[in-house]
Amino acid sequence: MEIVRFDEAVSNPVWAFGSDFKIGPLTGPDSHVRVQVMHLPAGGGIGFHAAASRQLLAVVTGTGWVSGGDRMQREVGPGLAAVWERGEGHQTGTDSGLTAICVEGVFEVTAPSDAP
């Protein structure tokens, strides 16, 4: 067994697209999916950009909002995840801070939708 770190102290800051967050990779570039931890501080965010591949952002702690190509903001918190398709514009923001797991690549989502 190996214990690995993904806390904010070992994560890398990201400022691209007007973003303000830190990212901690959990898997390497040769994996079929890339798994990372995103640490967004209070008032932080991930700027609007196109998804390079299918992407799932699962909130672990804190609250915030996500938007897709329509730029309509939807609230997210623990137990909720946003899924964007390759090429889809998207953005994430938070007033109070949040931590999320991000999965990128080729994968199937089996969790139920919370859409009405």
Side-chain angles (χ1 to χ4, degrees):
M1 177 175 74
E2 179 181 6
I3 304 296
V4 298
R5 289 183 61 184
F6 61 89
D7 57 275
E8 193 171 351
V10 297
S11 297
N12 304 310
V14 178
W15 305 102
F17 309 109
S19 301
D20 179 11
F21 71 102
K22 291 184 177 180
I23 191 166
L26 290 172
T27 59
D30 293 332
S31 302
H32 293 287
V33 295
R34 184 165 66 170
V35 181
Q36 305 171 102
V37 178
M38 308 267 190
H39 302 278
L40 283 69
I46 302 171
F48 193 85
H49 65 287
S53 62
R54 188 170 214 201
Q55 185 175 52
L56 179 144
L57 182 84
V59 178
V60 178
T61 63
T63 59
W65 56 266
V66 293
S67 70
D70 61 6
R71 295 191 185 237
M72 290 183 57
Q73 295 180 2
R74 294 197 52 199
E75 296 294 318
V76 290
L80 293 176
V83 180
W84 298 284
E85 298 303 328
R86 183 174 192 249
E88 184 177 2
H90 65 288
Q91 186 173 11
T92 303
T94 178
D95 291 331
S96 58
L98 69 79
T99 299
I101 301 294
C102 179
V103 179
E104 296 176 298
V106 178
F107 57 90
E108 179 181 359
V109 177
T110 59
S113 173
D114 89 335

